[in-house]
Amino acid sequence: MLPEEHLAPYAARSNEGQGRRVAEPAPVSRSQFQRDRDRIIHSSAFRRLEYKTQVFLNHEGDLFRTRLTHSLEVAQIGRSLARSLSLNEDLVEAIALAHDLGHTPFGHVGQDVLNLCMKDHGGFEHNLQSLRVVDQLEQHYGAFDGLNLMFETREGILKHCSPAKARELGAVGQRFIDQTQPTLEAQVTNLADEIAYNNHDIDDGLRSGLITLEDLEEVALFARHRREVESEFPGLPGRRAIHETLRRVINALVADLIATSSAQIKAAQPSSVDDVRRCAPLICFSDAMRACATEMKTFLYAHLYRHYQVNRMRTKASRIVHELFDAFMVEPILLPPAYLMQSGGLAAQARRIADYIAGMTDRYAIREHKRLFSVDEL
């Protein structure tokens, strides 16, 4: 087990955490957060991320990001940030690998449609679903449902939550009522997520041809580093030039985040995790870099996420999720037995249908839709 003595006093320490919902003997050869990471990696929900969409559907190309590769990139960036800030890398890695476990097929459109379908039954939010997956839906252990993760890992998975929902979650939701902060490790993972998806979505968008290098001239951070690459490596081939540019963009974001966060921590002088919880968020970009990151996000929304070709797939995906949900609500006997509620009423059945659909991969949802609605499928 790696020692934690080198960590900053305000870092989360695995043996000083708020524990697990069901008490277990401490691990012998690894830390509590390493145990969490290992349980996440061995979960069924983690394996399904390989075939869940980031932006481009699985069948559209082998080299586009999936929820799995995205989660790995978040973990890599997060661990680098944590190491530089003397925070707990193992906790960051566990949160990063688990943060998308509850995501639906077909990316955000799947979540939006499922939330609409569930509007009369408590709604649907993938962040809350990720917590539901690790707390209840994974079935691996005889002593408890879920993965029985540490409080700090569960807290980091739950990035945002309404006060009404938070009241239903007990201790892990209390910070949204008290308006306090999670650990610095959770804050790091949140911004590592943003760095990862902004940059890999640009890469995937360029690979797809839906956006061009000329389009990206309006994104100041990308354009600046692209010019640096062209100056240093004249005539560098396209894909290599793109990778070199994005590498520099990520480095710039990471360097700014480390410098700004270090200054914030120094000014606040927290001496414990409890002090961190009482502070304003301490992991952040400078104002100038935040503006650059926002500009990048705005560009992607306008030029990629709402590109007409992406919209066509969004429409198809929306129809698949909506029709699956409606079919199962009208005729629950179409569900696999494990998802068919024998009691509990309409809301409970709707929640189990949402669990079933949210757990599908893109290709499984397409196949299931064909089984239900195509006369050529049995």
Side-chain angles (χ1 to χ4, degrees):
M1 181 173 68
L2 293 174
E4 295 183 338
E5 290 81 5
H6 70 287
L7 298 180
Y10 42 78
R13 286 167 168 76
S14 60
N15 291 325
E16 297 175 4
Q18 297 186 39
R20 303 179 186 276
R21 296 201 300 169
V22 178
E24 298 183 63
V28 175
S29 59
R30 53 187 172 166
S31 74
Q32 296 281 12
F33 298 138
Q34 288 171 334
R35 172 189 269 176
D36 281 1
R37 174 205 59 204
D38 297 345
R39 287 182 174 182
I40 291 160
I41 288 173
H42 287 283
S43 69
S44 301
F46 184 73
R47 291 193 297 277
R48 286 195 292 268
L49 295 180
E50 181 177 4
Y51 298 107
K52 288 195 176 188
T53 288
Q54 192 65 28
V55 174
F56 299 94
L57 298 197
N58 189 258
H59 71 272
E60 293 181 287
D62 293 338
L63 296 180
F64 294 125
R65 267 68 170 196
T66 65
R67 290 284 162 191
L68 178 60
T69 58
H70 166 68
S71 297
L72 294 174
E73 291 183 31
V74 175
Q76 179 269 313
I77 294 170
R79 290 197 69 145
S80 296
L81 290 165
R83 189 177 306 119
S84 296
L85 295 168
S86 298
L87 301 176
N88 196 312
E89 293 181 48
D90 296 325
L91 175 55
V92 168
E93 184 176 33
I95 297 170
L97 295 179
H99 82 283
D100 266 353
L101 292 182
H103 223 298
T104 61
F106 312 125
H108 286 285
V109 66
Q111 172 185 277
D112 294 344
V113 173
L114 207 47
N115 184 45
L116 182 63
C117 292
M118 289 288 292
K119 69 181 188 299
D120 295 328
H121 310 292
F124 180 90
E125 205 280 310
H126 88 266
N127 200 228
L128 287 166
Q129 188 71 10
S130 294
L131 188 65
R132 181 170 166 82
V133 167
V134 300
D135 281 356
Q136 300 178 45
L137 300 184
E138 284 291 320
Q139 301 287 307
H140 292 263
Y141 303 94
F144 46 79
D145 290 334
L147 303 180
N148 198 34
L149 301 181
M150 289 288 287
F151 175 89
E152 290 74 17
T153 305
R154 297 170 60 237
E155 174 189 53
I157 291 170
L158 193 64
K159 292 196 302 186
H160 42 77
C161 183
S162 69
K165 289 289 185 184
R167 293 186 188 95
E168 301 173 6
L169 298 175
V172 77
Q174 190 61 39
R175 70 182 178 90
F176 298 99
I177 299 169
D178 298 340
Q179 297 187 322
T180 54
Q181 302 304 318
T183 63
L184 292 182
E185 287 80 2
Q187 296 179 41
V188 160
T189 310
N190 189 25
L191 288 177
D193 183 26
E194 180 179 332
I195 292 171
Y197 69 67
N198 276 343
N199 284 277
H200 65 48
D201 286 354
I202 285 177
D203 188 26
D204 283 353
L206 288 168
R207 183 182 296 279
S208 72
L210 300 190
I211 58 176
T212 67
L213 289 171
E214 289 68 31
D215 294 332
L216 282 160
E217 280 297 313
E218 68 183 72
V219 180
L221 186 62
F222 184 92
R224 180 166 69 248
H225 288 289
R226 182 191 175 199
R227 286 191 291 271
E228 288 179 4
V229 171
E230 291 173 342
S231 176
E232 187 173 346
F233 303 104
L236 192 67
R239 288 304 304 171
R240 291 180 68 183
I242 291 168
H243 287 307
E244 187 67 32
T245 302
L246 287 173
R247 182 177 69 82
R248 292 169 186 239
V249 171
I250 292 173
N251 286 344
L253 288 162
V254 167
D256 180 272
L257 189 61
I258 291 170
T260 307
S261 301
S262 296
Q264 293 284 105
I265 292 168
K266 184 177 180 180
Q269 296 186 317
S271 59
S272 66
V273 172
D274 286 340
D275 285 348
V276 167
R277 295 186 184 283
R278 290 188 288 266
C279 293
L282 298 176
I283 306 299
C284 54
F285 293 114
S286 66
D287 290 343
M289 190 58 81
R290 167 47 62 197
C292 287
T294 300
E295 181 185 51
M296 187 182 298
K297 188 181 299 185
T298 301
F299 169 87
L300 285 167
Y301 188 88
H303 292 265
L304 181 62
Y305 306 147
R306 290 297 179 264
H307 191 283
Y308 82 92
Q309 289 182 238
V310 176
N311 285 339
R312 287 179 178 181
M313 195 59 237
R314 283 172 54 86
T315 298
K316 293 177 185 178
S318 174
R319 186 178 302 118
I320 288 170
V321 173
H322 219 305
E323 290 179 356
L324 284 175
F325 185 88
D326 288 348
F328 292 137
M329 284 295 287
V330 172
E331 296 185 85
I333 57 172
L334 299 175
L335 285 162
Y339 291 90
L340 183 60
M341 299 291 292
Q342 301 302 323
S343 61
L346 192 63
Q349 183 63 76
R351 182 60 59 188
R352 289 300 285 151
I353 292 170
D355 289 340
Y356 181 45
I357 294 174
M360 294 178 181
T361 62
D362 293 5
R363 62 185 186 180
Y364 185 90
I366 292 169
R367 264 201 317 268
E368 189 75 336
H369 187 268
K370 286 182 178 178
R371 292 189 192 107
L372 290 180
F373 297 102
S374 173
V375 294
D376 297 325
E377 295 285 335
L378 296 178

